[in-house]
Amino acid sequence: MASITYWLLLAYIVVALVWWFIALQRQNHQMANYKISELKMDDPAFQSKYMEIVDEKRRHDFRNIGEGSIFLVVILIASIFVYQAVRRQIRLQHQQENFMMAITHELKTPIAIAKLNLETLLKYSLSEEKKQKMLQATLQETNRLNTLASNILVSSQLEGGRYRTAKEELDLSDLIKTAINDFKNRFPERLWQCDIEPEIDINGDPLLLQILVNNLIENAIKYSPKESLITCKLFQKNKTVQFQVIDEGPGIPEDEKKRIFEKFYRIGNETTRTAKGTGLGLYLCKKIVEDHNGHIRVADNLNRGSNFMVSFTVKHTHEQ
């Protein structure tokens, strides 16, 4: 409705401008014809006065055409900027609505599962194996809630400039190994291939880098089949440290690869997609990497899936 109103208003403005131009031209011609009719044929200066009127009419024509053209160009340029701004606002509003739908689902699901598991443990006498399985599932759901809360909080703080990045030298190899071991415990059925070079140090914020690693690995788990392989690599070449998370999921279409790092953006339709998420994870990853003067991109896996690559530049080189 807003789009229709906008185009109708723009059409009205353009039509009014054209009508204004036609009216001015008609008035100019009428004035010129009136002045010519007032001339006397036997006047010795008739020819010069006639040419003066014609020249004046021509100058007014050029002025009207020039002013009309400038007004039309200004209106069209302004309308393009306004249209783009409105489109961006509408798209952001839709993304925020989708985010609210997703966040509601993301909060309700783990809470409901954890509540059901705990009520079952209280009401029934279960075998030790079943107890451990239910406790493990409850722990996974609480970890999901913790990750979700951290993403929302840190994203808000980073965007508002309220987060104070604590840059310190840390062992990135150890941080990634710890994260992978945690995911292995949470998802024991998953297949893992890890190639992590030891003792790779960088300057960074431990909390933000932990969120970065967790989000990339969780993203690979979320969008790939349970029986597929997840590969994590960390290596250093000269002054470049690269961390890769490779999955065997459906992959990402070429036209979507740049947009997946936008805030709230998710591939597909919010009402039909099955994968869980809020559209904050990859946006937060990109922001964290950029705050550490790094670069993140996604490429296709050789066979199937996606390869997320994070690169950092370090001042010192790693000795083998």
Side-chain angles (χ1 to χ4, degrees), residues 89-150:
Q89 189 64 33
I90 293 174
R91 186 167 63 246
L92 179 60
Q93 182 180 349
H94 288 165
Q95 288 175 343
Q96 289 173 338
E97 289 173 356
N98 290 340
F99 171 74
M100 292 306 299
M101 291 173 58
I103 201 70
T104 301
H105 178 75
E106 287 285 285
L107 288 172
K108 288 180 67 176
T109 302
I111 290 173
I113 293 174
K115 181 182 177 183
L116 179 62
N117 288 346
L118 292 174
E119 288 176 345
T120 302
L121 289 170
L122 286 173
K123 288 182 179 180
Y124 303 99
S125 179
L126 304 175
S127 65
E128 189 62 29
E129 182 182 352
K130 288 184 177 179
K131 284 182 180 179
Q132 290 299 321
K133 189 174 182 181
M134 295 192 75
L135 286 172
Q136 186 68 28
T138 305
L139 181 61
Q140 287 185 20
E141 296 305 321
T142 55
N143 283 331
R144 275 181 59 195
L145 282 174
N146 182 60
T147 300
L148 178 62
S150 296

Side-chain angles (χ1 to χ4, degrees), residues 191-205:
L191 298 176
W192 299 85
Q193 179 178 323
C194 302
D195 183 11
I196 310 297
E197 284 188 12
E199 299 179 359
I200 293 182
D201 298 330
I202 68 169
N203 287 318
D205 186 299

Side-chain angles (χ1 to χ4, degrees), residues 10-22:
L10 179 61
Y12 172 78
I13 293 173
V14 172
V15 169
L17 178 63
V18 172
W19 180 258
W20 167 81
F21 173 76
I22 294 172

Side-chain angles (χ1 to χ4, degrees), residues 138-251:
T138 305
L139 181 61
Q140 287 185 20
E141 296 305 321
T142 55
N143 283 331
R144 275 181 59 195
L145 282 174
N146 182 60
T147 300
L148 178 62
S150 296
N151 283 351
I152 295 172
L153 179 62
V154 173
S155 174
S156 174
Q157 290 177 335
L158 286 174
E159 195 163 82
R162 297 186 302 275
Y163 186 89
R164 292 186 178 181
T165 305
K167 293 290 180 69
E168 60 184 66
E169 187 168 322
L170 57 89
D171 189 335
L172 185 61
S173 304
D174 186 58
L175 185 149
I176 293 174
K177 286 178 182 177
T178 302
I180 292 173
N181 287 333
D182 179 57
F183 278 102
K184 284 182 178 179
N185 292 331
R186 289 168 56 190
F187 302 94
E189 75 283 0
R190 285 283 182 174
L191 298 176
W192 299 85
Q193 179 178 323
C194 302
D195 183 11
I196 310 297
E197 284 188 12
E199 299 179 359
I200 293 182
D201 298 330
I202 68 169
N203 287 318
D205 186 299
L207 174 60
L208 294 185
L209 291 175
Q210 185 74 61
I211 292 174
L212 167 68
V213 174
N214 287 347
N215 280 351
L216 289 178
I217 296 177
E218 191 156 341
N219 194 67
I221 293 172
K222 188 188 304 178
Y223 290 100
S224 59
K226 290 184 178 180
E227 68 278 3
S228 65
L229 180 69
I230 294 175
T231 303
C232 298
K233 296 181 181 180
L234 177 70
F235 57 90
Q236 180 170 339
K237 186 175 182 181
N238 298 324
K239 293 186 178 182
T240 300
V241 171
Q242 187 164 103
F243 173 54
Q244 297 181 5
V245 178
I246 306 169
D247 64 63
E248 296 179 355

